Amino acid sequence: MSVNYEKLVNACGYVRERAGCSPKIGIVLGSGLGGFAEEAEIISSVNYSDIPDFPRSTVEGHKGRFIFGKVSGVEVVMMQGRVHYYEGYPMEDVVMPTRLMGMLGVETLLLTNAAGGIDRSFKAGDIMLITDHIAAFVPNPLIGKNDDRLGVRFPDMSEVYDITLREKALAAASEHGTELKQGIYAQLTGPSYETPAEIRMLETIGASAVGMSTACEAIAARHMGLKVCGLSLISNMAAGINSTPLSHEEVQQAADDAAERFTALVKGFIGKLG
Ligand code: HPA
């Protein structure tokens, strides 16, 4: 695995020509935030399927396009639908959309997702600000020959989730009267949900929530020097914490139920970045 720089430049050129603006802020819309794009004043959109050499999202509930527009008066590029490792793409392709946003000129990246709650003080519907992550259970997206044009061989990961951005997210939440939990996000490959034993392991090593995305994107973004912020919608309590079996429909439903609160929070947060 290694990044194909030329492929990236080519895909980026295709998107840039169609963007109609050059935003400094990128947002990855995870489950439950897909509808957020409707809140934006849309400038243009580019389907992943039209971009040369670009991976496509195959998951139900995940559309696949970049949307350029304004949110709270601020220019943003949004990813409506992301690509997951469990879809069968190599990690270098999974993080290609992240890298493309960096190459487009994005400096601040907000990553959102739906996640299973491990911290027993959480409940379904909570929103968690990601303070750190555990990505040691998935292949690192930087494995392979390093391309120095993108970043250094051994990038520091001591503050993946930027403290200033976290403060802004907390301020936006308190202004909107939304409680914001904080915690550590663990990425596993999926697509099967975890077993109760795996959740006990994750709890023991300090994870607050678990999901199948985000940390790998955060690593690629930090490799390129982007500032990163992460928000998880706790769509369900993780396996074994409640006695109910997990289903994608439940995750989707919880995400839909929380969409309004999540949207208001993200809008307020983006407003603070302008
Ligand atoms: N586990 C992993 N990923 C998830 C979950 C979960 O419980 N909920 C939403 N995404």
Side-chain angles (χ1 to χ4, degrees):
M1 270 194 278
S2 70
V3 190
N4 185 328
Y5 194 81
E6 281 65 42
K7 224 165 78 169
L8 197 54
V9 169
N10 200 22
C12 184
Y14 181 92
V15 175
R16 185 179 280 125
E17 270 174 29
R18 288 155 183 83
C21 59
S22 45
K24 300 259 180 288
I25 297 166
I27 313 174
V28 180
L29 303 171
S31 310
L33 216 67
F36 180 77
E38 270 104 70
E39 300 284 320
E41 200 186 302
I42 294 178
I43 296 170
S44 66
S45 72
V46 182
N47 291 327
Y48 301 159
S49 57
D50 294 331
I51 305 172
D53 294 322
F54 209 72
R56 290 151 207 213
S57 173
T58 61
V59 191
E60 223 177 288
H62 281 257
K63 291 184 185 145
R65 57 182 176 174
F66 284 111
I67 297 175
F68 292 84
K70 278 189 175 179
V71 171
S72 306
V74 184
E75 273 185 6
V76 298
V77 51
M78 291 170 280
M79 274 178 63
Q80 199 174 35
R82 56 153 57 92
V83 185
H84 302 82
Y85 183 62
Y86 63 71
E87 292 176 76
Y89 294 105
M91 267 299 183
E92 74 185 88
D93 284 357
V94 172
V95 301
M96 190 176 170
T98 306
R99 293 207 178 279
L100 188 142
M101 286 193 282
M103 199 171 256
L104 273 177
V106 164
E107 294 169 356
T108 301
L109 182 63
L110 173 62
L111 301 171
T112 72
N113 60 47
I118 296 174
D119 184 318
R120 287 164 196 272
S121 73
F122 292 180
K123 59 184 185 313
D126 280 349
I127 302 173
M128 182 187 91
L129 179 64
I130 304 177
T131 55
D132 201 349
H133 73 218
I134 295 169
F137 298 109
V138 294
N140 191 295
L142 310 184
I143 288 174
K145 191 172 169 356
N146 188 61
D147 195 314
D148 297 334
R149 289 169 291 189
L150 294 171
V152 298
R153 170 77 290 188
F154 300 109
D156 174 57
M157 293 287 148
S158 44
E159 191 188 301
V160 175
Y161 302 89
D162 186 83
I163 186 68
T164 308
L165 293 177
R166 276 190 263 155
E167 281 163 6
K168 287 185 176 169
L170 288 165
S174 91
E175 280 165 27
H176 284 82
T178 299
E179 190 193 2
L180 196 50
K181 307 280 188 180
Q182 299 191 62
I184 296 169
Y185 177 90
Q187 179 177 2
L188 268 62
T189 66
S192 53
Y193 289 112
E194 302 71 33
T195 63
E198 285 163 345
I199 294 301
R200 282 195 300 275
M201 171 193 71
L202 292 174
E203 189 175 25
T204 304
I205 63 173
S208 322
V210 60
M212 307 174 192
S213 66
T214 303
C216 59
E217 296 161 4
I219 292 170
R222 288 302 303 137
H223 181 234
M224 294 177 78
L226 277 67
K227 287 189 176 151
V228 176
C229 190
L231 290 171
S232 292
L233 169 67
I234 305 300
S235 54
N236 56 282
M237 288 311 284
I241 292 191
N242 289 344
S243 51
T244 45
L246 307 184
S247 74
H248 184 57
E249 290 67 36
E250 179 199 4
V251 168
Q252 208 77 51
Q253 187 59 50
D256 290 347
D257 293 348
E260 212 172 294
R261 264 180 312 123
F262 210 11
T263 299
L265 171 62
V266 173
K267 263 172 115 174
F269 173 69
I270 300 299
K272 292 194 178 295
L273 304 179

